[in-house]
């Protein structure tokens, strides 16, 4: 009986530590796994060439605007150099970028569109 109480107590402490770390630590892996961080769309405009990481990878660090009109710094990679002037919708969870897709300016919410131009 005592061993079960110790095992349950240890499990509870481990879960609390994992939850606190995922809430307090801001890195891509923690953000991806954290169920308390909601996925949000962030819109960016490609206004500079990507930084070549290797033969097939380019990194972009851009200022984006979420649907609430808040400015957010976004870093993501692409397998090709993206077209300058293109608008992207980026699916994010804080620092984790799940996916991105090119969108037309008229498909971007007006609150965001005015700040991206």
């Amino acid at each position: 009986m005592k061993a079960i109480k110790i095992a349950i107590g240890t499990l509870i402490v481990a879960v609390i530590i994992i939850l606190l770390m995922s809430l307090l630590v801001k890195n891509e892996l923690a953000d991806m796994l954290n169920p308390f961080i909601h996925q949000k769309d962030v819109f960016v405009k490609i206004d500079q060439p990507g930084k070549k990481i290797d033969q097939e990878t380019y990194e972009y660090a851009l200022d984006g605007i979420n649907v609430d009109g808040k400015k957010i710094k976004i870093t993501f990679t692409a397998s090709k150099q993206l077209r300058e002037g293109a608008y992207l919708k980026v699916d994010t969870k804080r620092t984790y970028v799940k996916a991105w897709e090119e969108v037309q300016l008229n498909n971007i919410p007006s609150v965001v569109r005015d700040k991206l131009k």
Side-chain angles (χ1 to χ4, degrees), residues 73-85:
K73 186 80 168 172
I74 293 290
T75 302
F76 64 95
T77 59
S79 59
K80 63 179 182 177
Q81 194 72 256
L82 300 176
R83 181 177 59 84
E84 285 194 48

Side-chain angles (χ1 to χ4, degrees), residues 40-43 65-70 72 89 108-109 111-112:
K40 293 186 177 184
D41 291 335
V42 176
F43 295 88
I65 308 292
N66 69 11
V67 291
D68 300 326
K70 186 177 176 184
I72 297 174
K89 180 176 87 168
I108 297 175
V111 171
V112 176

